[in-house]
Amino acid sequence: MTELSVPLKGKPAPPPLPPSDWRRRLTTMWREASASEHVDGHNARHFRARQILAVVGLLPMVFMGNLIATVTIAATFWGQMPAWALCLWVVLAVLSLVLLDRGMRRLLSGKAKPVATKGGLHMVTWSVATFAVIWAAIPVMMFPIADHLGQLLISSVLVGMMCGGGLILSSIPIAACAYVLVMAGATAMALQLSIYVNNVSILGLLGIWSVTVMGVTMANARMFFSRLRTEAEADRQRQLIDLLLRDFEEHASDWLWEISHTGHFRHVSARLAQSFGLSTHQLLKHSFTDLVSTMLPAESDEAASAFDQLQSHLRLGRPFRDLELPVQVEGELRWWSLMAKPLFDDRGRAAGWRGVGADVTQGRMARDEMARLANVDALTGLANRHCFSLELARVCESVETSERGCALLFVDLDNFKGINDSLGHAVGDQLLRSVAARIKACVAPGDLLARLGGDEFALLSWQAGDEASAAQLGDRVLAALATPCQLEDVRVEVRASIGMALAPRDGTSPQALLQSADLALYAAKAGGRNTHRFFVPFMGESARSRARLQQELGVALADEQFAVHYQPQVSTRTGEVVGFEALVRWQHQERGLIGPNEFIPVAEETGQIVPLGTWVLRQACKVAMQWPGSIRVAVNLSAVQFRSHSVVDIVERALADSGLPPERLELEITESALIDDHEGAQATLAALRSRGIRVALDDFGTGYSSLAYLRRFPMDQLKIDGMFVRSLDSDPDAQAVVTAIISLAKALRLETTAEGVELPEQMVMLRALGCDLVQGFWMARPMPATDIAAFLADMEPVCEN
């Protein structure tokens, strides 16, 4: 019965590798310990030179050891063999080493980065082998005649030279192996000739020791080449970084700066000198902080504060980023954004700073302009609705108001709509600026005049805290507006109605005071206009009138007395129609076609805007399905409708019923829809956009325009209000605002649409500024759905004109 041998402990030993695997491993080991163009490319020639240099550097020490060993052996065996033979051997041993040094140095070429050929390494190998043969002659010739002590001396010297030579030549493994093999072979032959030693075990030990020395030599060679390749890769990376840095300094708008521990520049690039507006000599002469201190704008608190922060960071050794600093460069105010981190030497001591500077003047100007838009009406330069709302809230909370009182005046132009429609929006904008200037002349210092939107102005006056003073103020405003306005070639007469409320008599909260002034304004308009009225309690009848309008809206919704008209949105690049904006109209049974400005506010106040907006949305989606697949439809969502919890379901249902793809629907919302419920608005926007529906921010720049909305809420498009567009060709301020809005939108990767385009010059300027889409009377007025097919057919000639 055959017995099976099973190990009791551990796992079975792995089977031996096949010969092919051993050859593969030896080949890999040899490649790792030698230079070749296949592996190292153009660095192979340099690596060979480094191999030779590593040996050449040790040759002086080798020469001394070789000389001592030679003299010792010669002295020991003098008289035991012919003197001429011993002298000849000494000369050959010393001369061969000298010739080896001279020959290895001649194999190198190039001073900055020496190189050597593959043939050079072969010559080194043969030279080393020749040197080994000269020394191998000693045991062969002297072992037979030497006594026991002499043989021991020769063996010790040979073993030492074999080990030392193998290690010294380890950078050139082929030469080292040749040297060890020659020395080991000579020693083995000598042992065979010895009458004192004839032991197989000693020969075995010699073989093992030779293999060990060659193995150590190969390991050292692999480490040597690993270091060479690491250095070469580090040098390549350094060259790449230097190249990128030079390219960055030559072409980027940012600039690198590095200062020593004394604060002086270490390196000045052309971009750095250009940013400072100084020469390289001037920059190297003074410290960084001294240069910056001389460039600060005079009497600028913001500049002084930013410079103090910079000095504090540099003094305390704290890294910093996004430190904005105003400076004067060649007489021009610029804004820099600086970032840097401290540098340390090998002992951990502060060694300076390295950082990046960027000129952020354009971005700063854009932010300042947007901040101004947040509180200033761009058309008139007065405070806007946002600023007015904040001040009104502060006034109502002020103790001084309850003691002194103040007056709130609502000023509404009586015939502005007719002037705007008949003479054009450009004249209307000029009229608004003229009216704002006249009213402002009546305002006492400390009072606030704001434009709420359209032709509505509001005035908060502390100086008119009683009814008599408020009446006098109202009379002055009416008198200031009584004189006709000369606008270019047009003479325009304008009248205004003023509603007045006194705090705290007519209200102690912003809402109550606004409602009182609003009711008084309606009373002034009902009283013949061009007059002013104070709020009195019986003006509640106005509210009842609005209630009647609410009832009529309910009937109109039930009877579907509404119609949707569509205004095209055209690409400035291609001239093609990209979409249509859906605009609702009320076909009143008695009053005829009513614009949305009259009934939308009432619908929003009463909540009827939700069913009305739903109806408009469903109609627009159905009609859009009849258009080409590349054209989308834009539908306005009021603030009330947007805040409805069911708005997402309503939109989904309208899309499902009509079959309209979500990406062809764009919902337009105003900033007022976002200001109250930030979290809810963000969730609603995210839900809509996750379904592929586009979202546009309507009338951007006219209300509470804030960068926070654009950063916090996901958007696809900004719509530039028509008041800016209509003044684009005549008002530099309007041009600046439009430019800032378009630049901001591009930075945030948002599309822009300009409303109210009425002239070809406006179209040309918008295209030049980079606006994406336009809509307005110049392209087409809002049209019924039945006219769209004909319009699209005639679209190309319309756009070309």
Side-chain angles (χ1 to χ4, degrees), residues 325-548:
L325 182 74
V327 292
Q328 290 281 353
V329 180
E330 298 179 345
E332 183 181 1
L333 178 64
R334 311 295 296 177
W335 282 90
W336 289 349
S337 177
L338 302 178
M339 62 171 292
K341 63 179 181 179
L343 302 177
F344 302 95
D345 59 16
D346 53 357
R347 298 183 180 179
R349 297 176 301 185
W353 289 79
R354 180 183 294 130
V356 178
D359 190 318
V360 294
T361 306
Q362 295 297 327
R364 178 70 185 218
M365 292 174 61
R367 291 205 309 272
D368 290 345
E369 181 64 21
M370 295 307 300
R372 189 184 71 85
L373 287 174
N375 292 286
V376 177
D377 177 66
L379 180 63
T380 62
L382 303 177
N384 65 3
R385 181 184 292 272
H386 175 60
C387 180
F388 170 77
S389 299
L390 294 177
E391 182 64 16
L392 181 61
R394 188 191 66 81
V395 165
C396 292
E397 294 175 358
S398 174
V399 177
E400 187 179 359
T401 303
S402 60
E403 296 176 353
R404 291 179 49 193
C406 72
L408 171 60
L409 282 69
F410 272 2
V411 181
D412 188 89
L413 302 185
D414 294 332
N415 56 339
F416 177 75
K417 188 176 185 303
I419 295 172
N420 206 34
D421 293 342
S422 61
L423 301 179
H425 294 294
V427 174
D429 291 343
Q430 294 182 42
L431 177 60
L432 290 175
R433 284 193 287 267
S434 177
V435 168
R438 293 189 182 190
I439 299 176
K440 189 175 182 179
C442 304
V443 177
D447 293 347
L448 176 66
L449 175 63
R451 176 173 175 251
L452 303 184
D455 59 343
E456 295 181 355
F457 297 85
L459 173 58
L460 270 175
S461 175
W462 293 91
Q463 310 300 325
D466 57 86
E467 189 167 322
S469 300
Q472 293 176 2
L473 177 59
D475 290 336
R476 290 200 302 271
V477 171
L478 292 176
L481 299 178
T483 305
C485 299
Q486 185 65 41
L487 306 175
E488 296 182 352
D489 298 332
V490 182
R491 185 179 177 87
V492 179
E493 292 188 1
V494 63
R495 297 290 183 267
S497 299
I498 304 176
M500 295 184 286
L502 300 176
R505 187 191 73 179
D506 300 328
T508 57
S509 67
Q511 182 178 3
L513 203 58
L514 288 171
Q515 185 175 12
S516 298
D518 192 41
L519 291 174
L521 177 61
Y522 275 97
K525 287 185 174 293
R529 307 193 175 204
N530 195 29
T531 185
H532 59 73
R533 290 286 188 273
F534 283 96
F535 171 77
V536 290
F538 69 81
M539 288 181 178
E541 178 61 30
S542 175
R544 288 188 287 272
S545 297
R546 296 172 74 85
R548 287 194 295 270

Side-chain angles (χ1 to χ4, degrees), residues 647-779:
V647 62
V648 177
D649 295 335
I650 292 174
V651 173
E652 286 186 331
R653 193 175 303 113
L655 291 173
D657 293 344
S658 64
L660 185 70
E663 60 271 14
R664 292 184 59 192
L665 175 61
E666 181 174 88
L667 299 177
E668 297 183 4
I669 61 173
T670 59
E671 293 152 318
S672 59
L674 308 176
I675 62 175
D676 292 335
D677 183 12
H678 288 175
E679 294 183 1
Q682 193 169 15
T684 300
L685 287 178
L688 292 172
R689 295 184 80 245
S690 67
R691 290 159 172 79
I693 301 167
R694 292 170 53 86
V695 178
L697 189 59
D698 199 11
D699 299 334
F700 184 74
T702 61
Y704 303 89
S705 303
S706 171
L707 294 177
Y709 298 142
L710 303 182
R711 179 180 60 85
R712 182 179 304 172
F713 301 115
M715 297 286 176
D716 298 289
Q717 183 183 120
L718 295 183
K719 297 199 70 175
I720 306 172
D721 191 74
M723 79 165 77
F724 304 127
V725 176
R726 288 188 290 270
S727 304
L728 191 60
D729 56 343
S730 60
D731 186 357
D733 291 338
Q735 296 175 13
V737 171
V738 173
T739 302
I741 293 175
I742 293 175
S743 300
L744 177 63
K746 288 184 179 298
L748 297 175
R749 297 182 296 277
L750 300 178
E751 194 177 65
T752 51
T753 298
E755 299 178 304
V757 178
E758 299 178 349
L759 300 172
E761 294 81 5
Q762 297 167 354
M763 177 71 171
V764 172
M765 294 187 69
L766 288 168
R767 182 186 293 114
L769 292 175
C771 184
D772 300 302
L773 307 176
V774 291
Q775 70 180 88
F777 288 175
W778 187 70
M779 278 67 67

Side-chain angles (χ1 to χ4, degrees), residues 187-208:
T187 304
M189 184 181 299
L191 289 175
Q192 293 297 324
L193 298 175
S194 173
I195 61 175
Y196 299 104
V197 180
N198 187 10
N199 194 330
V200 176
S201 62
I202 294 179
L203 294 175
L205 288 174
L206 178 63
I208 293 173

Side-chain angles (χ1 to χ4, degrees), residues 91-260:
V91 171
L92 290 176
V94 175
L95 185 62
S96 63
L97 194 60
V98 174
L99 294 177
L100 177 64
D101 178 71
R102 297 282 182 86
M104 292 178 70
R105 293 181 185 274
R106 291 179 180 177
L107 294 175
L108 302 176
S109 61
K111 295 183 179 180
K113 191 174 182 180
V115 296
T117 63
K118 187 182 296 186
L121 287 183
H122 293 159
M123 292 182 64
V124 171
T125 303
W126 282 109
S127 300
V128 168
T130 302
F131 175 77
V133 168
I134 293 173
W135 268 94
I138 290 296
V140 174
M141 293 187 302
M142 297 184 180
F143 248 62
I145 64 174
D147 56 10
H148 182 71
L149 292 177
Q151 291 181 359
L152 181 62
L153 173 64
I154 295 173
S155 300
S156 300
V157 171
L158 290 178
V159 170
M161 290 191 65
M162 182 175 66
C163 296
L167 294 177
I168 290 171
L169 294 168
S170 60
S171 63
I172 311 177
I174 186 174
C177 290
Y179 176 82
V180 171
L181 289 174
V182 171
M183 298 295 287
T187 304
M189 184 181 299
L191 289 175
Q192 293 297 324
L193 298 175
S194 173
I195 61 175
Y196 299 104
V197 180
N198 187 10
N199 194 330
V200 176
S201 62
I202 294 179
L203 294 175
L205 288 174
L206 178 63
I208 293 173
W209 185 245
S210 302
V211 172
T212 301
V213 171
M214 288 190 289
V216 172
T217 298
M218 291 298 298
N220 288 341
R222 293 173 67 187
M223 293 177 61
F224 178 79
F225 271 92
S226 176
R227 185 174 66 254
L228 288 182
R229 288 170 179 136
T230 301
E231 292 176 358
E233 178 62 21
D235 185 63
R236 188 188 70 82
Q237 294 287 349
R238 184 167 55 255
Q239 292 178 5
L240 178 60
I241 292 173
D242 291 342
L243 179 63
L244 293 176
L245 286 177
R246 284 196 299 270
D247 183 72
F248 174 82
E249 290 180 344
E250 292 175 1
H251 300 96
S253 60
D254 298 352
W255 36 273
L256 302 175
W257 59 278
E258 183 175 342
I259 57 177
S260 64

